[in-house]
Amino acid sequence: MKITTQVQERLICPHCRSQLHSRGEWFLCEGCGNHYPVIAGIPILIDESASAFRIHSYERPQPLSRAERAKRAARDLLPRISLNVAARRNYQKFRELLLTQSARPRVLIVGGATAGAGTSELLADQRIEFVESDVAIDERTTLVCDAQNLPFADETFDGVVIQAVLFYLPEYGRCISEIFRVLKPGGILYSESPFMEQVVGGAYDFYRFTLRGHEYQFREFEKVSSGVSGGPAMATAWSIQYLMLSFVQNAALRAAMRVFCKCTLFWMKYLDLLLANKPGAVDAAAGTYFMGRRPAEARAAEQLPTELAQPAKTRVGDYKGLIQSDVRAYR
């Protein structure tokens, strides 16, 4: 099993929320009678009555074909037009905060089938137990579940990472509520999401957030920090690439165009090392981040200070950009 016994004891049925019990190659729910398979040590905890994913579609992982290995190797050799200017620093802070909470923290990574940008040092820390969930089985998946219905008991994790996932979720608010539920009081959340970035998920790509919009989604958390994760130069390189791709439909030509753009536009991302901390970058960022803490205690609205007891729209953080003029000035 790719998850520890301690985590197995915290699993709940994604359908009825009763505790799950391990039965070798299955997890059984005695509440509703549902049973969930374990494939290659990976529990498949999908509630088919409330999810677009189907348990029967999951198969035992197969070794990558020679063609796929060659494709991935070639992709790794190409220069990239993306640069995350914040992730490494933010994950260092995330780790520091975790270790002040617990000597052996447990972290859920939502969308953890592959390692996210800037996560290498965090994932290498042997003091931290990771549960890497996803709807896909890939090199790092330890549990399959729908991010909008997390199969864990309340207050299971000291930290949660959701990097570049929210925009894939039709009902992302459910996912945020689930993250709040499975975090321990005082637990740390880290989220990244695109803003000025083109469609990457095809039919499964739904949303984009400004920095204020990103902060607003996590308004029930106490903000630790927020800002730009991908800068305006990266956003511009992406825009040029997608402009060029708009001229071609043939799959081979589109692949060639992507290679051309990577080889000619990669240098632009380095401008973000100069731009990312400037106020104007917020208005044109490729992506943003939010780090927050679940409040130690849930307080009733009547107990909140006056400024926090207002409707949610007044509790958003201050705007950090430079756009002050009428919108027509920018058309």
Side-chain angles (χ1 to χ4, degrees), residues 235-291:
T236 302
W238 273 64
S239 293
I240 295 172
Q241 175 181 237
Y242 273 72
L243 171 64
M244 300 301 290
L245 288 170
S246 298
F247 288 99
V248 293
Q249 290 182 286
N250 178 271
L253 289 177
R254 287 178 66 84
M257 185 65 75
R258 286 196 297 272
V259 171
F260 173 77
C261 289
K262 288 176 183 292
C263 292
T264 57
L265 301 174
F266 72 91
W267 59 271
M268 293 185 67
K269 64 180 181 286
Y270 297 114
L271 294 175
D272 287 333
L273 298 174
L274 302 174
L275 296 173
N277 293 322
K278 295 184 179 297
V282 168
D283 302 315
T288 63
Y289 72 85
F290 176 87
M291 189 184 304

Side-chain angles (χ1 to χ4, degrees), residues 105-116:
R106 180 186 297 145
V107 172
L108 171 66
I109 300 183
V110 179
T114 57

Side-chain angles (χ1 to χ4, degrees), residues 13-284:
C13 175
H15 180 69
C16 74
R17 302 287 180 161
S18 299
Q19 185 177 0
L20 290 178
H21 301 276
S22 177
R23 296 293 185 266
E25 292 300 306
W26 298 87
F27 276 94
L28 174 66
C29 174
E30 295 180 353
C32 64
N34 283 355
H35 55 280
Y36 305 92
V38 177
I39 299 176
I42 303 170
I44 313 296
L45 303 183
I46 298 287
D47 176 16
E48 294 185 334
S49 69
S51 176
F53 302 99
R54 292 294 173 262
I55 292 174
H56 67 77
S57 66
Y58 292 93
E59 301 176 349
R60 184 172 296 274
Q62 300 296 320
L64 293 177
S65 67
R66 182 177 300 177
E68 182 61 25
R69 290 199 303 270
K71 180 180 177 181
R72 293 191 181 192
R75 185 185 299 147
D76 290 341
L77 289 174
L78 288 171
R80 298 176 181 272
I81 61 173
S82 299
L83 176 66
N84 193 314
V85 295
R88 184 177 179 184
R89 178 186 69 247
N90 288 338
Y91 282 124
Q92 289 174 345
K93 179 65 174 178
F94 179 81
R95 181 170 59 173
E96 291 171 5
L97 292 173
L98 283 175
L99 293 171
T100 63
Q101 298 279 102
S102 170
R104 297 285 295 176
R106 180 186 297 145
V107 172
L108 171 66
I109 300 183
V110 179
T114 57
T119 60
S120 56
E121 292 182 16
L122 177 69
L123 294 174
D125 195 321
Q126 298 298 313
R127 297 170 293 181
I128 304 173
E129 177 186 1
F130 294 99
V131 177
E132 294 166 277
S133 70
D134 209 302
V135 292
I137 296 179
D138 209 318
E139 56 192 28
R140 297 196 64 91
T141 309
T142 59
L143 182 144
V144 168
C145 68
D146 189 326
Q148 299 163 128
N149 188 8
L150 298 176
F152 306 101
D154 295 359
E155 301 179 9
T156 293
F157 296 98
D158 300 284
V160 174
V161 171
I162 180 165
Q163 186 177 30
V165 172
L166 282 181
F167 67 104
Y168 288 124
L169 305 176
E171 298 180 59
Y172 63 85
R174 286 173 52 197
C175 175
I176 293 172
S177 296
E178 285 287 89
I179 289 172
F180 191 94
R181 178 183 66 80
V182 301
L183 266 177
K184 297 176 182 177
I188 308 301
L189 159 87
Y190 182 70
S191 169
E192 288 183 2
S193 197
F195 172 36
M196 299 294 288
E197 190 174 286
Q198 284 72 25
V199 170
V200 295
Y204 300 100
D205 193 318
F206 294 98
Y207 302 104
R208 296 295 183 271
F209 300 108
T210 63
L211 178 59
R212 272 170 67 83
H214 198 172
E215 293 173 338
Y216 179 75
Q217 307 313 317
F218 292 99
R219 59 194 177 276
E220 300 303 326
F221 292 78
E222 298 170 350
K223 188 174 82 169
V224 174
S225 62
S226 64
V228 170
S229 56
M234 171 182 158
T236 302
W238 273 64
S239 293
I240 295 172
Q241 175 181 237
Y242 273 72
L243 171 64
M244 300 301 290
L245 288 170
S246 298
F247 288 99
V248 293
Q249 290 182 286
N250 178 271
L253 289 177
R254 287 178 66 84
M257 185 65 75
R258 286 196 297 272
V259 171
F260 173 77
C261 289
K262 288 176 183 292
C263 292
T264 57
L265 301 174
F266 72 91
W267 59 271
M268 293 185 67
K269 64 180 181 286
Y270 297 114
L271 294 175
D272 287 333
L273 298 174
L274 302 174
L275 296 173
N277 293 322
K278 295 184 179 297
V282 168
D283 302 315

